[in-house]
Amino acid sequence: MWTRSYRDIRAIDTKTPIVGPGTAVYSHDWMYNFMRNARDTGTLPAVAVWHQLDTNTGWQTIQANVNDFRAIETSLGLPHRPISINEYGSPRQVDQPSVAVHYMAAFERAGVHDAERAYWYEAGTMNGLLHNDRPTASYWAYKWYGDQSGNIVRTVPQPWLDGVASYDASRKQVNVVFGGDSGENKVRINGVGVLGSRVSVTLSRTNNTGRFTNQTAPVTLSTQTYTVAADGSITVPVSGMDAVMAYQLLVTPATGAPSWQQTYEAENATVVNANRLSSATASNGGYVGQIDNAADMRDQSFVDFLVKVPTARAYTMTVKYANATGAPATHGLAYNGSAWTTLTYPPTNSGWGHPTGTVSTTLNLRAGYNMIRLAKGAPHFTGGIGYAELDNITLQ
């Protein structure tokens, strides 16, 4: 059926990516046979898709399943493709904030490209994250995760306690979202000496009240100043934990926090019809290149940055880029549904893959989240000229 369907689609559409197989459970034997047949018939999926819905071990088997799939690809001589978990969380799990955190941590650790919370319950509630259009307890676990910026950093899971953490060097902030255990626990954070000898730590939690009770805001448990140990670590005790709740530790310098600015890496943004590439001279070691196409809508190339700013005002956006064409190149710039303007990239002398150029412009952003698009071609934009690679954008 897969082979026949794939060929029928390709007969009328040669470009749109086809993803699959979308199985309800992961099975080694089934997946091996599927991928071997897809290889032999020229019908390989662009993205590998399956569900993680097991009631008892949904997040606990993610790493093993990803490892197994990668081994299958290697054994069949296939390049590794993105993995999408397009349903996760059993019906009984989705009301529990700490279970969401377990999934977040497992997806990040395994390198899953994207994952979608399963839809079991009332329409219009984001499957229990909202009730009467207002947040529930689980919402705040996702909000903390969505607020993470900079880079995801390594976390070491304990038998039940787990979490996901980020470090943003430009904002000088560590954001740890964790949960899954009860009683008395401690969270050790290494490497915080980069924030100074003393740091401010705010500990917050969600409730465990399910999807029919609103929680207007997280509960702040404490805000304390810690002296960073000689080895660059702090250890934060967390008392009276509830295994269903989620928790956040937000760590910032005790004094001398920088004026607000934030850098967003292009390789961490949403990249459409372009490629994430590596370079030792790019910030964070990565950039987006081959932003090349502007004609057919299925080929249009653009990068979407989801940014969050503290207040509504004019911000300076500085784009770090490379343009080795020897002539000016342009991208279309639009944000929050605005009209298109043109951003011009003068040529750089450092060559492709070495983003040394910067160009700045002013954006009037609203408080909270904003979407910024840089495009060679996109809907309602006829296309830029020349070529440019994107390293990052900085707002301040």
Side-chain angles (χ1 to χ4, degrees), residues 180-263:
D181 201 3
S182 59
E184 308 303 302
N185 281 283
K186 296 179 180 180
V187 177
R188 177 185 171 95
I189 307 174
N190 298 316
V192 292
V194 295
L195 301 181
S197 60
R198 290 171 63 78
V199 294
S200 176
V201 180
T202 299
L203 172 64
S204 304
R205 67 162 172 81
T206 65
N207 295 326
N208 62 356
T209 45
R211 69 183 189 280
F212 295 121
T213 302
N214 292 119
Q215 182 174 343
T216 57
V219 178
T220 300
L221 298 177
S222 64
T223 298
Q224 299 184 48
T225 299
Y226 283 77
T227 298
V228 178
D231 63 0
S233 71
I234 60 171
T235 299
V236 180
V238 186
S239 301
M241 284 186 65
D242 184 312
V244 176
M245 296 179 182
Y247 296 79
Q248 183 201 41
L249 286 171
L250 194 62
V251 187
T252 57
T255 59
S259 59
W260 190 92
Q261 71 168 22
Q262 189 163 346
T263 297

Side-chain angles (χ1 to χ4, degrees), residues 361-384:
T361 189
T362 300
L363 307 180
N364 290 303
L365 302 180
R366 61 198 180 202
Y369 288 101
N370 298 259
M371 182 65 76
I372 301 170
R373 175 171 292 182
L374 292 170
K376 177 71 182 292
H380 311 297
F381 178 67
T382 56

Side-chain angles (χ1 to χ4, degrees), residues 78-372:
L78 300 174
H80 292 180
R81 67 212 62 243
I83 293 173
S84 172
I85 306 302
N86 68 339
E87 283 195 43
Y88 72 89
S90 69
R92 82 176 193 183
Q93 291 176 332
V94 295
D95 283 346
Q96 301 179 352
S98 67
V99 171
V101 174
H102 276 299
Y103 276 107
M104 295 169 195
F107 291 142
E108 291 285 0
R109 200 171 288 125
V112 168
H113 179 271
D114 62 88
E116 287 69 55
R117 184 173 161 96
Y119 174 31
W120 298 112
Y121 294 119
E122 301 80 12
T125 68
M126 290 167 51
N127 202 33
L129 298 185
L130 301 177
H131 177 63
N132 294 331
D133 296 326
R134 291 179 290 125
T136 63
S138 290
Y139 169 90
W140 296 106
Y142 285 92
K143 175 70 164 55
W144 292 330
Y145 182 41
D147 284 344
Q148 290 185 337
S149 58
N151 294 304
I152 297 295
V153 296
R154 180 173 177 256
T155 55
V156 180
Q158 302 304 306
W160 285 105
L161 192 67
D162 201 359
V164 59
S166 67
Y167 169 59
D168 189 327
S170 67
R171 297 175 68 189
K172 293 190 176 297
Q173 183 181 94
V174 175
N175 182 348
V176 185
V177 184
F178 63 101
D181 201 3
S182 59
E184 308 303 302
N185 281 283
K186 296 179 180 180
V187 177
R188 177 185 171 95
I189 307 174
N190 298 316
V192 292
V194 295
L195 301 181
S197 60
R198 290 171 63 78
V199 294
S200 176
V201 180
T202 299
L203 172 64
S204 304
R205 67 162 172 81
T206 65
N207 295 326
N208 62 356
T209 45
R211 69 183 189 280
F212 295 121
T213 302
N214 292 119
Q215 182 174 343
T216 57
V219 178
T220 300
L221 298 177
S222 64
T223 298
Q224 299 184 48
T225 299
Y226 283 77
T227 298
V228 178
D231 63 0
S233 71
I234 60 171
T235 299
V236 180
V238 186
S239 301
M241 284 186 65
D242 184 312
V244 176
M245 296 179 182
Y247 296 79
Q248 183 201 41
L249 286 171
L250 194 62
V251 187
T252 57
T255 59
S259 59
W260 190 92
Q261 71 168 22
Q262 189 163 346
T263 297
Y264 295 87
E265 296 292 337
E267 66 273 15
N268 293 337
T270 298
V271 178
V272 177
N273 289 328
N275 286 301
R276 296 174 174 87
L277 303 169
S278 298
S279 170
T281 60
S283 67
N284 198 45
Y287 66 100
V288 173
Q290 300 168 352
I291 313 170
D292 295 345
N293 299 304
D296 188 301
M297 64 178 294
R298 293 166 296 182
D299 291 331
Q300 291 169 342
S301 296
F302 54 87
V303 181
D304 283 347
F305 295 87
L306 180 63
V307 305
K308 185 185 180 186
V309 298
T311 59
R313 63 173 176 85
Y315 288 83
T316 298
M317 181 180 77
T318 300
V319 181
K320 190 163 178 272
Y321 71 94
N323 170 14
T325 65
T330 65
H331 282 164
L333 166 64
Y335 58 97
N336 297 337
S338 70
W340 288 96
T341 59
T342 299
L343 193 64
T344 300
Y345 306 103
T348 54
N349 298 321
S350 51
W352 297 118
H354 302 287
T356 58
T358 58
V359 62
S360 297
T361 189
T362 300
L363 307 180
N364 290 303
L365 302 180
R366 61 198 180 202
Y369 288 101
N370 298 259
M371 182 65 76
I372 301 170

